[in-house]
């Protein structure tokens, strides 16, 4: 995903809407993904601009497969490139 864009992403067969936000005042850039039907935030992939340390936050009570989490991690690593 490029800077400040919105698109659909699929993790483990679940399609979510996602937005990449850059240059946040807290020092982190992030991709936030939410359920398009309910608007509930489901996933946040973030990284600090100085350290490039990548993190993953899962919201809600959805159970994600390891394959889905690997897809999330891959999307985050692609965003760092």
């Amino acid at each position: 995903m490029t800077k400040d864009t919105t698109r659909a992403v699929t993790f483990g067969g679940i399609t979510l809407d996602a937005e990449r936000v850059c240059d946040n005042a807290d020092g982190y850039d992030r991709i936030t993904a939410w359920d398009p039907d309910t608007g509930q935030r489901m996933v946040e992939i973030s990284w600090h601009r100085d350290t490039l340390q990548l993190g993953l936050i899962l919201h809600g009570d959805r159970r994600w497969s390891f394959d889905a989490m690997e897809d999330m991690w891959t999307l985050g690593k692609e965003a760092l490139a």
Side-chain angles (χ1 to χ4, degrees), residues 1 12 14 22 42 46 51 54 57 78:
M1 296 183 74
I14 306 295
C22 297
M42 303 293 286
S46 61
T51 65
L54 188 61
I57 300 171
E78 289 171 357

Side-chain angles (χ1 to χ4, degrees), residues 19-75:
E19 178 180 33
R20 178 171 176 178
V21 178
C22 297
D23 300 324
N24 201 347
D26 64 2
Y28 287 86
D29 292 341
R30 60 185 42 86
I31 297 169
T32 302
W34 62 92
D35 183 318
D37 296 324
T38 66
Q40 179 185 11
R41 183 169 54 170
M42 303 293 286
V43 175
E44 182 178 306
I45 304 164
S46 61
W47 56 96
H48 195 275
R49 285 189 297 278
D50 294 335
T51 65
L52 298 181
Q53 184 174 359
L54 188 61
L56 179 62
I57 300 171
L58 304 176
H59 298 276
D61 59 0
R62 173 101 175 87
R63 197 172 289 222
W64 295 97
S65 69
F66 284 110
D67 289 338
M69 293 181 66
E70 284 180 359
D71 292 343
M72 295 171 198
W73 194 254
T74 298
L75 181 62

Side-chain angles (χ1 to χ4, degrees), residues 4 7 17 40 65:
D4 298 326
R7 70 175 172 117
D17 288 339
Q40 179 185 11
S65 69

